Amino acid sequence: MKRILLALLCGVALTAAGGAPAFAQLVAPDSAGVSLGAVYYTVPDVEAHKKIWVDNFGAKPVKVGNTEMLKIPGVFIVLKQGQPGTGTPLVNHLGIWAKDLDPTRAKLLAAGIASAVSKAQFIDLPNGLRLEFIDDPAGPELPAAHHIHYFVANAQAGTDGRAWYMKTFGATENSRRNGAVPSALLTTPDKWISIDFTAAGGGGRGGGAPRGAGGGAPTAPGAAPAPAPAPAPAPAAAAGPVSNKGTVLDRFALEVKGIDAFVKKIEAEGVKVTKPVSTNADGLKTAMIVDVLGNDVELIEGLAGK
């Protein structure tokens, strides 16, 4: 009888431990020891944004050292108080997926988020904080992290970005939307967390007026032809996307197992390290790098299991 009771208790303990892995830890790391760690947002009203995440996404507030973070399956959301800058950042949004996100949309709509109509793909929270919603029958029951989405200058930049994340972080080649969105997949496809790339323009678009489109009155008979008007200056090329630093989505962090050796390795391979590995006030090891597209990315060790 004691053995049966002990077995039952062990089974309950294992079920409890295995039944809540989504909130207990990040997704298992890839072959290089890398997984998505956190997304940092700069917002004027932290409490208002916290309420949105807790009430509508089921985020769980946790303390990591002195910093409060909000946990949803697969990622930590970190809200920092400040006025976000404007511009055209490289990372446009965090993607969220579940089997059915319409219940989440309905709650957001009731809370005053006008973009959260049924089946809406993009949801705009206050202060320009954008999320992409993906309804997928193969997805999780609860809203979970799905991808970090870069909007880059052209298709080649997207291909280059995917190749760099594959080489540097051990991601595997994949894509979404029938190949239109290159993906560097950090997980197995059934867990799906990726770094995605969409060619959204910028960096060299634009041009002058059509050739031969000059104006002016016609020349009178017998009169000397009027001098040709000076060509109008071509409009400035559209600015290409730049680092997210200082914008509403300030940065994302990748959790790295064995960060000291990892950073040493990628630096030797030519990756620009802007902040060497150090231990922050929350007891987490962190470093900052610049990726192949010019974005500032944080590497972190210590979030897994929080």
Side-chain angles (χ1 to χ4, degrees):
M1 183 69 183
K2 288 182 179 179
R3 288 182 180 179
I4 295 173
L5 182 59
L6 181 60
L8 286 171
L9 289 171
C10 289
V12 169
L14 288 171
T15 300
F23 285 115
Q25 60 187 18
L26 301 174
V27 173
D30 66 12
S31 60
V34 176
S35 58
L36 180 61
V39 178
Y40 296 80
Y41 291 106
T42 301
V43 294
D45 190 337
V46 168
E47 287 303 313
H49 278 269
K50 175 183 173 181
K51 181 174 175 60
I52 291 171
W53 285 97
V54 172
D55 291 356
N56 301 285
F57 295 91
K60 308 296 183 185
V62 295
K63 270 296 189 80
V64 178
N66 297 316
T67 300
E68 183 177 65
M69 300 186 180
L70 307 176
K71 253 193 318 191
I72 67 168
V75 72
F76 289 83
I77 303 298
V78 187
L79 303 171
K80 297 289 187 182
Q81 198 281 327
Q83 189 62 44
T86 58
T88 308
L90 278 157
V91 176
N92 184 269
H93 60 263
L94 168 68
I96 303 288
W97 75 325
K99 292 183 187 298
D100 181 10
L101 284 165
D102 262 357
T104 302
R105 292 184 182 94
K107 287 191 286 186
L108 287 165
L109 192 63
I113 306 300
S115 58
V117 296
S118 178
K119 305 305 177 189
Q121 180 182 359
F122 292 104
I123 308 296
D124 293 311
L125 304 185
N127 310 114
L129 195 164
R130 169 163 281 200
L131 301 170
E132 182 178 0
F133 274 22
I134 299 170
D135 301 88
D136 188 333
E141 296 292 337
L142 300 173
H146 184 267
H147 66 270
I148 298 291
H149 207 146
Y150 277 75
F151 278 15
V152 295
N154 51 59
Q156 187 59 53
T159 301
D160 293 345
R162 175 173 66 178
W164 188 86
Y165 275 88
M166 289 169 58
K167 177 180 182 293
T168 306
F169 296 108
T172 55
E173 181 174 347
N174 215 305
S175 63
R176 295 193 297 115
R177 302 195 179 279
N178 298 316
V181 178
S183 300
L185 187 60
L186 294 169
T187 63
T188 53
D190 61 309
K191 302 296 184 185
W192 199 286
I193 296 181
S194 61
I195 312 295
D196 290 357
F197 306 89
T198 290
R205 292 183 302 164
R211 295 179 65 181
T219 303
V242 297
S243 175
N244 279 66
K245 187 175 181 180
T247 65
V248 63
L249 196 169
D250 182 78
R251 67 190 187 278
F252 68 92
L254 297 173
E255 171 84 1
V256 178
K257 187 177 181 180
I259 190 171
D260 295 274
F262 186 90
V263 171
K264 184 177 181 180
K265 172 182 176 292
I266 64 173
E267 187 171 29
E269 294 171 348
V271 174
K272 183 178 180 180
V273 177
T274 56
K275 175 182 169 295
V277 178
S278 62
T279 302
N280 67 17
D282 297 321
L284 303 171
K285 284 189 172 184
T286 66
M288 292 295 299
I289 65 169
V290 177
D291 70 14
V292 69
L293 298 168
N295 196 34
D296 293 273
V297 177
E298 184 176 50
L299 306 183
I300 196 164
E301 184 173 24
L303 284 177
K306 296 291 186 185

